[in-house]
Amino acid sequence: MTDFVRSFHDRFASLGNGPIQPLRQAAFARFNQLGLPTTQDEDWKYTSLAPLAQLRFEPAARGPLPEVGRWTLGDSAIQLVFVDGRHRPELSSLRKTPGGPYVGSLAAALADRPELVRRELGRHAGYERDALTALNTAFIEDGAFIHLPAGAVVQEPIHLLFVTTSSGKTTASQPRNLFIAGAGSQATIVETHAGPGEQAYFTNAVTEVVLGEGARLDHYKLQEEGARAIHLALLQVQQGRDSRFSSSSVALGGALARNEVRALFASEGGECVLNGLYMAAGKQHLDNRTLVDHESPRCTSRELYKGVMGGQSRGVFHGRVLVRQDAQKTDASQTNKNLLLSDEALVDTKPQLEIFADDVKCAHGAAVGQLDENALFYLRSRGIPQEAARSLLTYAFASEMVNLIPLRPLQARVRELVGSRLPGFEGWKEVA
């Protein structure tokens, strides 16, 4: 038994009984059977979890409140803050109105609305074949719970902020989020993961999204974990008839990070849009995996992911679109573009279409390249230094994804972070 597994065995034995204890026990038993995936597993062919297996984790102590101002979206957002995996109401603004939208912690929702939570929790993000989801399910304690009744419209963005503190320990947090959107409801959710650069820690997040008929949910994720962090996350979406889901993922932090999105069209007429930007430097490893399952007819999916790799970093994109036999009139497209800034940077890209229907419109493609020498020469001829010219062209490549974020505070934050990663890039605010 590795130190990684032993640390979770010790902690699981200390968990008390609760309303979801049978789910936890079944998931932990399945985790023990599966073990951590290796590069021999096709789904993990390009991403090794060996650095994770060598770590032993300790529970995070409940310490003083951290300063979270730099990660917030201002007063215009409903905010839920989680510190080391635990909800901190002192830093949050909640919404619980009788018969209206419920925005709060999962731990509180298990007490307030146990039947609704237990009906959907663990039903969509299956742990039977996924060891990390099984581990998260075994340690469900807290996270965000959002319930939108039929017809409810939340105008303000809902910001979920997950912060890891620098406690001197190697800690693990496993937030579990559940979003249930009733028929015709609408909301915008922003998910931010952040932490200290000097501390090694592990985040294993799972989010389940259930969309009713005609529901609309826009989801944005900003991953700016610390430089030594390991971040693994799954976003599982089930879409009802004529529902619309959009996801924009920005991955910048972590020594090793993997962001996985799985969307299922459970009924016809749905629309799904998946966008992503990942920027790696040094020896970072950023992995992106998507699955869009066209189980039902007359559904539309669009994917655009862009990667920028510098130094000795490695990027991974594996996008799979599955069109099942009965999913006639499917319209799906998938594009992945990558920019390599050094000779030692590497990207593995695998866009994939599996089509079992005959009346469909599907396309996919991938591109990997370097900065255009002619464009560099043009900028240099206008007096722009070499380093600044390279950064300017890199920013132009990444800015397409930044511009797809309509929320001004979030867009401004992402612009600042992207610009800060480009050496010699001055005046980026004016260029933007």
Side-chain angles (χ1 to χ4, degrees):
M1 185 183 297
T2 65
D3 284 345
F4 175 85
V5 174
R6 187 177 293 108
S7 62
F8 289 109
H9 270 263
D10 295 344
R11 188 177 173 202
F12 188 79
S14 67
L15 290 178
N17 291 323
I20 58 171
Q21 189 63 11
L23 175 64
R24 284 175 173 160
Q25 290 175 334
F28 195 59
R30 187 56 179 154
F31 170 73
N32 287 325
Q33 292 172 347
L34 293 171
L36 279 179
T38 70
T39 53
Q40 299 301 310
D41 298 293
E42 183 63 28
D43 289 350
W44 293 85
K45 181 178 180 180
Y46 303 111
T47 299
S48 172
L49 292 181
L52 179 64
Q54 298 169 3
L55 297 177
R56 182 180 178 88
F57 298 97
E58 302 178 56
R62 192 178 181 91
L65 294 176
E67 174 54 53
V68 300
R70 60 175 166 152
W71 295 303
T72 63
L73 298 180
D75 297 333
S76 61
I78 301 169
Q79 181 167 280
L80 272 75
V81 179
F82 299 83
V83 178
D84 296 322
R86 302 185 183 95
H87 177 234
R88 298 303 293 261
E90 310 96 314
L91 300 173
S92 305
S93 57
L94 305 181
R95 172 177 288 194
K96 302 177 185 178
T97 55
Y102 183 111
V103 179
S105 76
L106 182 64
L110 277 167
D112 296 342
R113 305 188 180 189
E115 292 185 5
L116 178 59
V117 175
R118 293 175 65 181
R119 187 185 73 202
E120 302 291 352
L121 187 65
R123 178 184 167 193
H124 308 282
Y127 59 80
E128 293 80 5
R129 293 183 296 175
D130 188 329
L132 277 307
T133 301
L135 182 64
N136 176 282
T137 304
F139 287 89
I140 292 176
E141 292 185 273
D142 212 348
F145 176 74
I146 298 172
H147 176 225
L148 307 176
V153 177
V154 180
Q155 299 290 348
E156 313 97 311
I158 302 169
H159 187 206
L160 313 177
L161 175 57
F162 298 89
V163 179
T164 300
T165 60
S166 181
S167 61
K169 300 179 179 179
T170 304
T171 61
S173 60
Q174 305 199 62
R176 184 59 170 257
N177 305 316
L178 177 60
F179 310 150
I180 304 172
S185 61
Q186 296 182 29
T188 298
I189 299 173
V190 180
E191 187 178 332
T192 300
H193 293 264
E198 70 279 2
Q199 186 72 37
Y201 61 91
F202 173 43
T203 300
N204 180 31
V206 174
T207 298
E208 293 178 287
V209 179
V210 186
L211 301 182
E213 181 176 352
R216 174 169 180 161
L217 188 67
D218 297 319
H219 180 266
Y220 302 89
K221 179 181 176 182
L222 174 57
Q223 187 271 101
E224 51 174 314
E225 301 274 28
R228 297 181 60 198
I230 296 176
H231 178 97
L232 306 175
L234 168 65
L235 174 62
Q236 179 76 55
V237 185
Q238 176 164 307
Q239 295 193 229
R241 181 184 297 271
D242 298 324
S243 63
R244 185 187 186 280
F245 177 77
S246 71
S247 167
S248 290
S249 167
V250 179
L252 303 174
L256 168 62
R258 174 176 168 123
N259 191 61
E260 185 168 2
V261 182
R262 303 175 192 159
L264 170 66
F265 289 113
S267 296
E268 63 182 286
E271 181 181 350
C272 178
V273 178
L274 305 180
N275 296 319
L277 172 65
Y278 47 104
M279 297 183 67
K283 295 185 177 181
Q284 276 185 286
H285 184 108
L286 300 182
D287 186 345
N288 301 270
R289 188 176 182 88
T290 66
L291 167 62
V292 181
D293 189 344
H294 284 263
E295 183 180 84
S296 303
R298 289 177 286 279
C299 293
T300 301
S301 65
R302 297 285 183 267
E303 287 186 67
L304 175 59
Y305 272 69
K306 280 190 167 186
V308 178
M309 273 65 65
Q312 297 176 300
S313 65
R314 184 169 186 175
V316 180
F317 174 81
H318 184 180
R320 182 185 176 205
V321 176
L322 174 60
V323 183
R324 298 185 184 270
Q325 186 173 1
D326 295 331
Q328 304 295 343
K329 303 295 183 181
T330 286
D331 184 354
S333 69
Q334 178 189 90
T335 304
N336 176 229
K337 299 179 180 180
N338 297 278
L339 181 62
L340 301 182
L341 300 180
S342 73
D343 293 336
E344 295 179 292
L346 179 66
V347 64
D348 295 288
T349 177
K350 186 181 178 182
Q352 184 178 354
L353 282 176
E354 295 182 40
I355 303 173
F356 299 96
D358 53 16
D359 186 7
V360 301
K361 180 182 178 182
C362 297
H364 71 304
V368 180
Q370 298 178 322
L371 293 173
D372 186 285
E373 292 297 331
N374 291 328
L376 274 174
F377 177 80
Y378 175 83
L379 293 177
R380 292 295 310 280
S381 69
R382 296 305 187 268
I384 299 177
Q386 173 80 10
E387 190 176 63
R390 290 177 59 86
S391 293
L392 182 60
L393 292 177
T394 303
Y395 181 83
F397 176 83
S399 64
E400 178 183 6
M401 308 310 299
V402 181
N403 292 336
L404 291 176
I405 301 173
L407 295 176
R408 293 300 180 186
L410 180 61
Q411 187 185 87
R413 174 65 177 166
V414 174
R415 284 192 190 281
E416 180 181 0
L417 290 171
V418 170
S420 69
R421 297 172 70 87
L422 303 176
F425 184 46
E426 299 178 359
W428 62 269
K429 291 183 180 180
E430 288 74 17
V431 173

